[in-house]
Amino acid sequence: MGQDLFRYLPSEIFMVILLRLSPEVISTCRCVCKAWLDLIESDVFHKSHPLALVVSMPGRYSNWFSVFKLEGEHEQDLIDEFDFPQASTILGSVNGLLLLGNEDRDLYVCNPLTSGFVELHGPPSPTCRQREESYGFVELHGPPSPTCRQREESYGFGVSKISGQYKVVCHDYRYPKYEFHVYTLEAGSSLWRVVEAASPLFDRCDSSVGSFASGNLHWLVSCRGGMPYVCCFDLETECFSTFSLPPNRASIEGKLCTLGDYLCFYDDEGYCNVTIWLLKEYEQADKRWIEVLKVPHFSIHCFHPIKVYENGNMMLWRRMDLLYYSNESGKVREIGSFRELCDSYQRMWYAGRCDINSICLTPSYLHVKRVFLGMENIISF
């Protein structure tokens, strides 16, 4: 009966029916027949899914994760909850996969909807000699800016544009010349490699998580208190490039993120305006940022844009709250709160650790065993 239904019903209609089902039911449908499996694991089905938000318990590391579907402008529905075997923090997301990391520098590439992950050991820690060389490098080029927020490590997770290889990138300041390391997730690959191409010189990195767009990873960096710029790493060629942020900004502060398929930069001008730019013409040599939204009198700090709609409305995440901005009324209202997830919320608030770890994700039902064929250390949970 199921095969006859699939045979005579247009695939577009069948896909709409599947998208209305719960993740558990969709996972069961994968086992019905090969035709259903191929459809559910296809790129078309993956890209047809509404955006989802993955959140974890407040604190640096957590075992508890939830996935919420963000289907409408005012809706969020819980579609999955899972306890990950290791207390981890979110370090990246691409094609329905999460990059998680624990405090021992172990890394995990996980699909939350198919309950499978690949375990990686983090890049080797620098030796004493390498640390001494890194100190010499600093002495040669000068110490970091006194105002820099230096991080020991920054990560990135993405897929190369031509070969389709998934790669994890780590930048460790403790290595000489601020080396980058890369790990290719494929059969027979079990070692980190040092990126041969020379990286740009910087002593400040805005985030420990790189933003992935158009086959490249991006970090917002600066050197010795200078103007910030974008450090770009091409996952296909494993070469670096740099480009500038949007011109005529009212503030030198800002953040990078991925918004849909585009690289996004947004700045918060205190209690006056928030401006959001997208880099839509990415392949052009002269990168041109397009201003897509300017919100006046937006008295919200520490926010992260999730989605900007065609009418100028916006969904955003702030600390523990999911918010909705109406471009017509110019007002912000709460449409979801996750404060009840932490019993010690007030204590964490005063300790300055109240933010929930979160990232956007497009759900996928392709099991990691099929993504990384032949790889070892694939575990179900």
mmCIF file of all heavy atoms in Angstrom, residues 269-296:
data_model
loop_
_atom_site.group_PDB
_atom_site.id
_atom_site.type_symbol
_atom_site.label_atom_id
_atom_site.label_comp_id
_atom_site.label_asym_id
_atom_site.label_seq_id
_atom_site.Cartn_x
_atom_site.Cartn_y
_atom_site.Cartn_z
ATOM 1 N N GLU A 269 24.382 49.848 17.820
ATOM 2 C CA GLU A 269 24.818 51.211 18.121
ATOM 3 C C GLU A 269 24.181 51.696 19.422
ATOM 4 O O GLU A 269 23.425 52.652 19.451
ATOM 5 C CB GLU A 269 24.456 52.135 16.961
ATOM 6 C CG GLU A 269 25.002 51.664 15.627
ATOM 7 C CD GLU A 269 24.324 52.346 14.463
ATOM 8 O OE1 GLU A 269 23.725 53.423 14.677
ATOM 9 O OE2 GLU A 269 24.381 51.818 13.352
ATOM 10 N N GLY A 270 24.459 50.973 20.493
ATOM 11 C CA GLY A 270 23.911 51.365 21.781
ATOM 12 C C GLY A 270 22.399 51.252 21.782
ATOM 13 O O GLY A 270 21.842 50.240 21.399
ATOM 14 N N TYR A 271 21.718 52.296 22.189
ATOM 15 C CA TYR A 271 20.268 52.293 22.248
ATOM 16 C C TYR A 271 19.668 53.102 21.099
ATOM 17 O O TYR A 271 18.562 53.599 21.200
ATOM 18 C CB TYR A 271 19.792 52.862 23.583
ATOM 19 C CG TYR A 271 20.031 51.921 24.735
ATOM 20 C CD1 TYR A 271 21.222 51.951 25.443
ATOM 21 C CD2 TYR A 271 19.078 50.969 25.083
ATOM 22 C CE1 TYR A 271 21.452 51.072 26.489
ATOM 23 C CE2 TYR A 271 19.302 50.078 26.121
ATOM 24 C CZ TYR A 271 20.483 50.141 26.829
ATOM 25 O OH TYR A 271 20.717 49.269 27.860
ATOM 26 N N CYS A 272 20.406 53.224 20.005
ATOM 27 C CA CYS A 272 19.911 54.006 18.873
ATOM 28 C C CYS A 272 19.432 53.117 17.730
ATOM 29 O O CYS A 272 18.268 53.077 17.409
ATOM 30 C CB CYS A 272 21.004 54.951 18.370
ATOM 31 S SG CYS A 272 21.490 56.191 19.596
ATOM 32 N N ASN A 273 20.359 52.400 17.100
ATOM 33 C CA ASN A 273 19.992 51.620 15.930
ATOM 34 C C ASN A 273 20.738 50.296 15.910
ATOM 35 O O ASN A 273 21.828 50.168 16.478
ATOM 36 C CB ASN A 273 20.330 52.377 14.638
ATOM 37 C CG ASN A 273 19.516 53.646 14.479
ATOM 38 O OD1 ASN A 273 18.303 53.602 14.354
ATOM 39 N ND2 ASN A 273 20.205 54.777 14.503
ATOM 40 N N VAL A 274 20.140 49.347 15.233
ATOM 41 C CA VAL A 274 20.795 48.095 14.899
ATOM 42 C C VAL A 274 20.706 47.939 13.389
ATOM 43 O O VAL A 274 19.617 48.038 12.822
ATOM 44 C CB VAL A 274 20.127 46.889 15.595
ATOM 45 C CG1 VAL A 274 20.671 45.585 15.041
ATOM 46 C CG2 VAL A 274 20.357 46.955 17.094
ATOM 47 N N THR A 275 21.838 47.718 12.746
ATOM 48 C CA THR A 275 21.868 47.560 11.302
ATOM 49 C C THR A 275 22.345 46.160 10.962
ATOM 50 O O THR A 275 23.305 45.667 11.556
ATOM 51 C CB THR A 275 22.789 48.602 10.642
ATOM 52 O OG1 THR A 275 22.443 49.900 11.121
ATOM 53 C CG2 THR A 275 22.648 48.564 9.132
ATOM 54 N N ILE A 276 21.673 45.524 10.014
ATOM 55 C CA ILE A 276 22.022 44.166 9.598
ATOM 56 C C ILE A 276 22.378 44.187 8.118
ATOM 57 O O ILE A 276 21.613 44.701 7.290
ATOM 58 C CB ILE A 276 20.861 43.191 9.854
ATOM 59 C CG1 ILE A 276 20.588 43.094 11.356
ATOM 60 C CG2 ILE A 276 21.159 41.806 9.282
ATOM 61 C CD1 ILE A 276 19.404 42.225 11.714
ATOM 62 N N TRP A 277 23.561 43.655 7.792
ATOM 63 C CA TRP A 277 24.016 43.550 6.414
ATOM 64 C C TRP A 277 24.158 42.081 6.021
ATOM 65 O O TRP A 277 24.509 41.233 6.851
ATOM 66 C CB TRP A 277 25.386 44.209 6.230
ATOM 67 C CG TRP A 277 25.421 45.696 6.310
ATOM 68 C CD1 TRP A 277 25.281 46.598 5.283
ATOM 69 C CD2 TRP A 277 25.678 46.489 7.472
ATOM 70 N NE1 TRP A 277 25.411 47.879 5.738
ATOM 71 C CE2 TRP A 277 25.661 47.849 7.082
ATOM 72 C CE3 TRP A 277 25.917 46.179 8.816
ATOM 73 C CZ2 TRP A 277 25.874 48.887 7.974
ATOM 74 C CZ3 TRP A 277 26.124 47.210 9.706
ATOM 75 C CH2 TRP A 277 26.101 48.547 9.287
ATOM 76 N N LEU A 278 23.925 41.784 4.745
ATOM 77 C CA LEU A 278 24.164 40.464 4.183
ATOM 78 C C LEU A 278 25.144 40.576 3.024
ATOM 79 O O LEU A 278 25.138 41.561 2.278
ATOM 80 C CB LEU A 278 22.863 39.833 3.678
ATOM 81 C CG LEU A 278 21.792 39.493 4.712
ATOM 82 C CD1 LEU A 278 20.591 38.866 4.018
ATOM 83 C CD2 LEU A 278 22.334 38.562 5.780
ATOM 84 N N LEU A 279 25.979 39.549 2.882
ATOM 85 C CA LEU A 279 26.922 39.483 1.763
ATOM 86 C C LEU A 279 26.319 38.540 0.725
ATOM 87 O O LEU A 279 26.573 37.334 0.744
ATOM 88 C CB LEU A 279 28.282 38.978 2.252
ATOM 89 C CG LEU A 279 29.464 39.142 1.294
ATOM 90 C CD1 LEU A 279 29.700 40.605 0.976
ATOM 91 C CD2 LEU A 279 30.719 38.529 1.888
ATOM 92 N N LYS A 280 25.517 39.094 -0.195
ATOM 93 C CA LYS A 280 24.777 38.254 -1.141
ATOM 94 C C LYS A 280 25.592 37.916 -2.380
ATOM 95 O O LYS A 280 25.513 36.804 -2.900
ATOM 96 C CB LYS A 280 23.463 38.944 -1.537
ATOM 97 C CG LYS A 280 22.453 39.010 -0.398
ATOM 98 C CD LYS A 280 21.100 39.472 -0.887
ATOM 99 C CE LYS A 280 20.057 39.378 0.224
ATOM 100 N NZ LYS A 280 18.700 39.778 -0.218
ATOM 101 N N GLU A 281 26.364 38.851 -2.893
ATOM 102 C CA GLU A 281 27.205 38.604 -4.070
ATOM 103 C C GLU A 281 28.581 38.149 -3.605
ATOM 104 O O GLU A 281 29.569 38.856 -3.731
ATOM 105 C CB GLU A 281 27.288 39.872 -4.928
ATOM 106 C CG GLU A 281 25.953 40.406 -5.399
ATOM 107 C CD GLU A 281 25.244 39.420 -6.311
ATOM 108 O OE1 GLU A 281 25.931 38.638 -7.000
ATOM 109 O OE2 GLU A 281 23.995 39.424 -6.339
ATOM 110 N N TYR A 282 28.613 36.916 -3.092
ATOM 111 C CA TYR A 282 29.833 36.458 -2.415
ATOM 112 C C TYR A 282 30.984 36.240 -3.383
ATOM 113 O O TYR A 282 32.143 36.471 -3.032
ATOM 114 C CB TYR A 282 29.542 35.155 -1.663
ATOM 115 C CG TYR A 282 30.656 34.753 -0.717
ATOM 116 C CD1 TYR A 282 30.618 35.145 0.615
ATOM 117 C CD2 TYR A 282 31.741 34.011 -1.146
ATOM 118 C CE1 TYR A 282 31.636 34.801 1.483
ATOM 119 C CE2 TYR A 282 32.762 33.664 -0.294
ATOM 120 C CZ TYR A 282 32.704 34.057 1.023
ATOM 121 O OH TYR A 282 33.729 33.721 1.887
ATOM 122 N N GLU A 283 30.706 35.785 -4.599
ATOM 123 C CA GLU A 283 31.773 35.402 -5.520
ATOM 124 C C GLU A 283 32.490 36.596 -6.129
ATOM 125 O O GLU A 283 33.528 36.434 -6.766
ATOM 126 C CB GLU A 283 31.200 34.515 -6.635
ATOM 127 C CG GLU A 283 30.518 33.254 -6.132
ATOM 128 C CD GLU A 283 31.445 32.383 -5.301
ATOM 129 O OE1 GLU A 283 32.657 32.391 -5.556
ATOM 130 O OE2 GLU A 283 30.949 31.698 -4.385
ATOM 131 N N GLN A 284 31.952 37.785 -5.991
ATOM 132 C CA GLN A 284 32.614 38.960 -6.535
ATOM 133 C C GLN A 284 33.906 39.247 -5.786
ATOM 134 O O GLN A 284 33.986 39.094 -4.566
ATOM 135 C CB GLN A 284 31.697 40.182 -6.457
ATOM 136 C CG GLN A 284 30.472 40.095 -7.347
ATOM 137 C CD GLN A 284 29.633 41.357 -7.290
ATOM 138 O OE1 GLN A 284 29.931 42.273 -6.526
ATOM 139 N NE2 GLN A 284 28.587 41.407 -8.096
ATOM 140 N N ALA A 285 34.918 39.654 -6.550
ATOM 141 C CA ALA A 285 36.203 39.978 -5.924
ATOM 142 C C ALA A 285 36.057 41.151 -4.962
ATOM 143 O O ALA A 285 36.655 41.172 -3.888
ATOM 144 C CB ALA A 285 37.236 40.300 -7.005
ATOM 145 N N ASP A 286 35.241 42.119 -5.348
ATOM 146 C CA ASP A 286 34.958 43.271 -4.490
ATOM 147 C C ASP A 286 33.697 42.971 -3.693
ATOM 148 O O ASP A 286 32.577 43.122 -4.161
ATOM 149 C CB ASP A 286 34.772 44.531 -5.331
ATOM 150 C CG ASP A 286 34.524 45.763 -4.474
ATOM 151 O OD1 ASP A 286 34.869 45.713 -3.271
ATOM 152 O OD2 ASP A 286 33.989 46.755 -4.997
ATOM 153 N N LYS A 287 33.888 42.508 -2.459
ATOM 154 C CA LYS A 287 32.755 42.093 -1.639
ATOM 155 C C LYS A 287 31.854 43.293 -1.335
ATOM 156 O O LYS A 287 32.320 44.323 -0.845
ATOM 157 C CB LYS A 287 33.249 41.465 -0.329
ATOM 158 C CG LYS A 287 34.102 40.203 -0.519
ATOM 159 C CD LYS A 287 33.257 39.043 -0.986
ATOM 160 C CE LYS A 287 34.014 37.719 -0.924
ATOM 161 N NZ LYS A 287 35.152 37.658 -1.834
ATOM 162 N N ARG A 288 30.575 43.140 -1.631
ATOM 163 C CA ARG A 288 29.636 44.229 -1.421
ATOM 164 C C ARG A 288 28.570 43.803 -0.425
ATOM 165 O O ARG A 288 27.779 42.896 -0.702
ATOM 166 C CB ARG A 288 28.990 44.641 -2.747
ATOM 167 C CG ARG A 288 29.984 45.240 -3.736
ATOM 168 C CD ARG A 288 29.289 45.744 -4.989
ATOM 169 N NE ARG A 288 30.242 46.329 -5.921
ATOM 170 C CZ ARG A 288 29.919 46.853 -7.100
ATOM 171 N NH1 ARG A 288 28.631 46.864 -7.469
ATOM 172 N NH2 ARG A 288 30.836 47.359 -7.893
ATOM 173 N N TRP A 289 28.565 44.468 0.707
ATOM 174 C CA TRP A 289 27.557 44.212 1.729
ATOM 175 C C TRP A 289 26.275 44.956 1.383
ATOM 176 O O TRP A 289 26.310 46.118 0.962
ATOM 177 C CB TRP A 289 28.061 44.665 3.096
ATOM 178 C CG TRP A 289 29.233 43.897 3.624
ATOM 179 C CD1 TRP A 289 30.553 44.190 3.434
ATOM 180 C CD2 TRP A 289 29.184 42.728 4.437
ATOM 181 N NE1 TRP A 289 31.336 43.262 4.085
ATOM 182 C CE2 TRP A 289 30.518 42.357 4.714
ATOM 183 C CE3 TRP A 289 28.149 41.955 4.968
ATOM 184 C CZ2 TRP A 289 30.858 41.256 5.484
ATOM 185 C CZ3 TRP A 289 28.474 40.858 5.742
ATOM 186 C CH2 TRP A 289 29.801 40.511 5.995
ATOM 187 N N ILE A 290 25.148 44.294 1.585
ATOM 188 C CA ILE A 290 23.850 44.904 1.324
ATOM 189 C C ILE A 290 23.114 45.097 2.645
ATOM 190 O O ILE A 290 22.921 44.147 3.396
ATOM 191 C CB ILE A 290 23.006 44.019 0.382
ATOM 192 C CG1 ILE A 290 23.725 43.862 -0.964
ATOM 193 C CG2 ILE A 290 21.618 44.611 0.181
ATOM 194 C CD1 ILE A 290 23.024 42.918 -1.915
ATOM 195 N N GLU A 291 22.735 46.332 2.914
ATOM 196 C CA GLU A 291 21.975 46.612 4.139
ATOM 197 C C GLU A 291 20.544 46.131 3.956
ATOM 198 O O GLU A 291 19.840 46.572 3.048
ATOM 199 C CB GLU A 291 22.002 48.110 4.432
ATOM 200 C CG GLU A 291 21.289 48.485 5.721
ATOM 201 C CD GLU A 291 21.323 49.977 5.983
ATOM 202 O OE1 GLU A 291 22.431 50.564 5.941
ATOM 203 O OE2 GLU A 291 20.243 50.555 6.220
ATOM 204 N N VAL A 292 20.124 45.201 4.795
ATOM 205 C CA VAL A 292 18.785 44.621 4.649
ATOM 206 C C VAL A 292 17.816 45.099 5.712
ATOM 207 O O VAL A 292 16.599 44.997 5.535
ATOM 208 C CB VAL A 292 18.839 43.081 4.664
ATOM 209 C CG1 VAL A 292 19.599 42.559 3.467
ATOM 210 C CG2 VAL A 292 19.440 42.553 5.963
ATOM 211 N N LEU A 293 18.328 45.620 6.805
ATOM 212 C CA LEU A 293 17.419 46.051 7.873
ATOM 213 C C LEU A 293 18.117 47.050 8.780
ATOM 214 O O LEU A 293 19.268 46.848 9.167
ATOM 215 C CB LEU A 293 16.953 44.849 8.695
ATOM 216 C CG LEU A 293 15.839 45.102 9.715
ATOM 217 C CD1 LEU A 293 14.561 45.551 9.009
ATOM 218 C CD2 LEU A 293 15.564 43.841 10.521
ATOM 219 N N LYS A 294 17.421 48.131 9.071
ATOM 220 C CA LYS A 294 17.901 49.117 10.036
ATOM 221 C C LYS A 294 16.769 49.364 11.013
ATOM 222 O O LYS A 294 15.715 49.881 10.631
ATOM 223 C CB LYS A 294 18.325 50.408 9.352
ATOM 224 C CG LYS A 294 19.171 51.316 10.233
ATOM 225 C CD LYS A 294 19.617 52.539 9.453
ATOM 226 C CE LYS A 294 20.607 53.374 10.247
ATOM 227 N NZ LYS A 294 21.911 52.733 10.394
ATOM 228 N N VAL A 295 16.988 48.960 12.244
ATOM 229 C CA VAL A 295 15.936 49.026 13.246
ATOM 230 C C VAL A 295 16.200 50.211 14.176
ATOM 231 O O VAL A 295 17.207 50.234 14.885
ATOM 232 C CB VAL A 295 15.879 47.720 14.063
ATOM 233 C CG1 VAL A 295 14.726 47.770 15.053
ATOM 234 C CG2 VAL A 295 15.735 46.524 13.135
ATOM 235 N N PRO A 296 15.347 51.216 14.198
ATOM 236 C CA PRO A 296 15.568 52.372 15.076
ATOM 237 C C PRO A 296 15.137 52.096 16.506
ATOM 238 O O PRO A 296 14.178 51.352 16.763
ATOM 239 C CB PRO A 296 14.688 53.450 14.443
ATOM 240 C CG PRO A 296 13.572 52.686 13.794
ATOM 241 C CD PRO A 296 14.173 51.388 13.329
#
